[in-house]
């Protein structure tokens, strides 16, 4: 069945606080806790479990306990669609959080839209919320925003010609298209354009083509999963010697570990403030939020925090705010989510509207550079 947990029931019974019958608000989730996207989905699942436990231990929402009904789709869009349907029809949830990847998200969207159930996605592609869909929201920065942030930084460095090597997965293909759509706005030209399959174990031929293209000043790799780590290792092996940019899809310590500290040195990417919590100035409104989430997550799980778990944190907290304000009726929840303003989260400060179901702008991104195996902020 691949159902991970019904967190509230188990927690309450273990604590002796209340019987399962008091779990009155059901929240659904379908996440990629296992499979090729597990480095995304596992911290998302652990974050939701942790937050539901915390809310219920504090008395629930407006006196009602939460029940988290969560399934593991393994990154399979067909399974995600099946589980989303089960959440709606059998589990009768009030809202859904999930869609770890763009592929699984796109398969959940029609289920949520048809059932008129609020759905907060944890995936990156701008297509999820552009054009706006009545019942669909998301918390991660979009791939288009990542392209813009990267090109801003390249522009500051005087870069005018670049090579691009992109994954052919849903995220990589979407970001490649978005980057091509905005690159001219920054006076930058893509003069080499290569791709790789997410299952490829060596990207040396593509990178050699890029290295041998005249005039290239930097290289951009839209992609997520293990592919970008392999690109980074091969890039170092080939001694390309030009600035390398990765996407926000690899914004975790796991990327540095997979690529290797030496190979990852100097790599830049846009990411949320969560990765650099300790070096944020005290005046940054996100500092208290990201520090508290990081400390709580690492204490609870014994594993390092990642921006992906942060996306789940923001989704849950936005949903929690909507439930507190509007109750558990799906249409009222939808309206309250859309009215979210001034929410300070791990991804930035969220101000949603009827025309914007993300609510973040480019200031929500930090440009980071890897130095000595850790993250630093590019000033």
């Amino acid at each position: 069945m691949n159902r991970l947990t019904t967190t509230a029931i188990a927690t309450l019974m273990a604590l002796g606080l209340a019987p399962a019958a008091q779990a009155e608000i059901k929240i659904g989730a379908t996440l990629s806790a296992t499979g090729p996207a597990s480095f995304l989905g596992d911290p998302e699942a652990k974050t939701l479990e942790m937050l539901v436990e915390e809310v219920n231990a504090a008395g629930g929402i407006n006196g009602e306990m939460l029940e988290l009904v969560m399934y593991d789709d393994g990154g399979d869009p067909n399974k995600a669609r099946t589980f989303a349907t089960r959440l709606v029809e059998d589990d009768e949830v009030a809202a859904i959080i999930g869609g770890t990847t763009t592929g699984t998200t796109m398969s959940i969207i029609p289920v949520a839209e048809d059932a008129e159930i609020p759905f907060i996605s944890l995936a990156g592609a701008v297509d999820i919320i552009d054009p706006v869909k009545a019942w669909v929201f998301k918390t991660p920065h979009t791939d288009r925003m990542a392209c813009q942030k990267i090109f801003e930084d390249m522009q500051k460095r005087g870069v005018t010609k670049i090579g691009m090597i992109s994954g052919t997965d849903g995220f990589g293909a979407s970001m490649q298209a978005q980057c091509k759509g905005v690159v001219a706005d920054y006076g930058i030209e893509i003069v080499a354009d290569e791709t790789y399959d997410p299952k490829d174990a060596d990207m040396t031929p593509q990178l050699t083509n890029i290295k041998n293209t005249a005039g290239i000043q930097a290289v951009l790799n839209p992609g997520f999963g293990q592919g970008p780590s392999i690109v980074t290792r091969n890039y170092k092996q080939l001694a390309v010697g030009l600035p390398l940019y990765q996407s926000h899809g690899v914004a975790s310590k796991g990327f540095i570990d997979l690529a290797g500290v030496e190979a990852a040195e100097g790599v830049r990417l846009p990411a949320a403030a969560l990765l650099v919590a300790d070096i944020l100035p005290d005046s940054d409104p996100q500092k208290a939020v990201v520090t508290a989430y990081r400390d709580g997550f690492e204490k609870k799980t014994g594993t390092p925090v990642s921006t992906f778990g942060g996306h789940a944190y923001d989704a849950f907290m936005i949903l929690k705010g909507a439930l507190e304000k509007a109750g558990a009726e799906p249409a009222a929840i939808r309206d309250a989510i859309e009215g979210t303003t001034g929410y300070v989260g791990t991804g930035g400060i969220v101000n949603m509207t009827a025309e914007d179901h993300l609510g973040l702008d480019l200031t929500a991104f930090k440009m980071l550079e890897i130095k000595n195996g850790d993250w630093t902020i590019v000033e």
Side-chain angles (χ1 to χ4, degrees):
M1 186 174 177
N2 287 331
R3 179 161 166 174
L4 287 177
T5 184
T6 305
T7 299
I9 294 176
T11 302
L12 292 171
M13 292 183 73
L15 295 174
L17 295 176
Q22 288 193 18
E24 299 177 50
I25 302 175
K26 285 188 178 182
I27 298 172
T30 174
L31 300 169
S32 306
T34 60
S38 61
F39 71 101
L40 308 171
D42 179 67
E44 292 168 355
K46 288 174 178 173
T47 295
L48 293 183
E49 290 178 322
M50 177 183 76
L51 293 174
V52 169
E53 288 178 9
E54 289 177 357
V55 167
N56 285 333
I61 293 178
N62 297 332
E64 295 184 292
M65 297 296 106
L66 294 183
E67 179 181 343
L68 175 62
V69 184
M70 184 156 58
Y71 296 99
D72 176 13
D73 56 47
D76 183 332
N78 291 323
K79 288 183 179 179
R81 183 184 301 109
T82 297
F83 290 142
T85 301
R86 186 178 296 172
L87 288 168
V88 170
E89 295 181 356
D90 298 340
D91 300 312
E92 299 181 338
V93 298
I96 298 172
I97 294 173
T100 293
T101 68
T102 296
T104 55
T105 287
M106 298 310 286
S107 71
I108 296 168
I109 285 174
V111 177
E113 287 282 290
D114 289 347
E116 298 187 340
I117 295 291
F119 169 43
I120 306 179
S121 169
L122 308 181
V126 69
D127 295 347
I128 295 164
I129 45 89
D130 185 8
V132 173
K133 302 162 189 70
W135 297 86
V136 180
F137 305 85
K138 77 186 213 75
T139 54
H141 316 80
T142 69
D143 44 10
R144 182 186 300 163
M145 291 169 64
C147 296
Q148 292 168 326
K149 192 72 174 182
I150 289 168
F151 293 147
E152 274 187 1
D153 192 67
M154 287 182 174
Q155 193 177 52
K156 290 175 184 175
R157 299 172 95 177
V159 171
T160 59
K161 295 182 185 293
I162 67 167
M164 195 153 68
I165 178 169
S166 311
T168 55
D169 56 276
F171 177 90
S174 176
M175 185 169 172
Q176 179 199 49
Q178 293 302 321
C179 285
K180 289 180 176 180
V182 301
V183 66
D185 297 341
Y186 298 86
I188 296 171
E189 181 184 2
I190 299 169
V191 295
D193 188 16
E194 300 282 341
T195 61
Y196 59 87
D197 186 277
K199 296 179 182 177
D200 287 350
D202 180 64
M203 286 65 158
T204 300
Q206 298 98 312
L207 289 170
T208 299
N209 290 340
I210 291 174
K211 182 181 180 181
N212 292 336
T213 301
I216 285 179
Q217 298 164 289
V219 177
L220 168 58
N221 177 199
F224 88 110
Q226 294 189 9
S229 298
I230 297 170
V231 167
T232 303
R233 290 200 300 271
N234 292 160
Y235 199 83
K236 176 68 175 179
Q237 291 160 0
L238 289 170
V240 178
L242 299 172
L244 176 61
Y245 289 80
Q246 294 288 354
S247 80
H248 59 310
V250 297
S252 74
K253 187 64 163 61
F255 164 72
I256 300 175
D257 294 340
L258 283 172
V261 171
E262 186 178 355
E265 182 74 12
V267 169
R268 289 189 178 186
L269 55 84
L274 180 60
L275 286 187
V276 287
D278 286 336
I279 58 176
L280 291 174
D282 291 340
S283 59
D284 192 311
Q286 287 183 267
K287 180 153 188 167
V289 174
V290 297
T291 301
Y293 166 60
R294 180 201 61 191
D295 293 349
F297 181 87
E298 294 183 351
K299 180 179 179 181
K300 176 75 173 177
T301 67
T303 57
V305 76
S306 76
T307 56
F308 313 116
H311 301 329
Y313 175 92
D314 289 341
F316 179 85
M317 296 305 288
I318 288 169
L319 177 56
K320 175 176 176 283
L323 288 166
E324 289 171 341
K325 178 181 178 181
E329 198 275 315
I333 296 171
R334 192 220 75 87
D335 291 348
I337 293 173
E338 189 176 82
T340 299
T341 56
Y343 164 71
V344 181
T346 70
I349 299 175
V350 176
N351 294 290
M352 292 194 189
T353 67
E355 294 77 34
D356 182 1
H357 280 192
L358 169 66
L360 295 172
D361 59 26
L362 282 187
T363 62
F365 262 139
K366 309 289 185 186
M367 180 56 67
L368 307 184
E369 181 174 326
I370 300 169
K371 291 185 178 180
N372 300 316
D374 208 350
W375 307 103
T376 62
I377 300 175
V378 176
E379 297 298 336

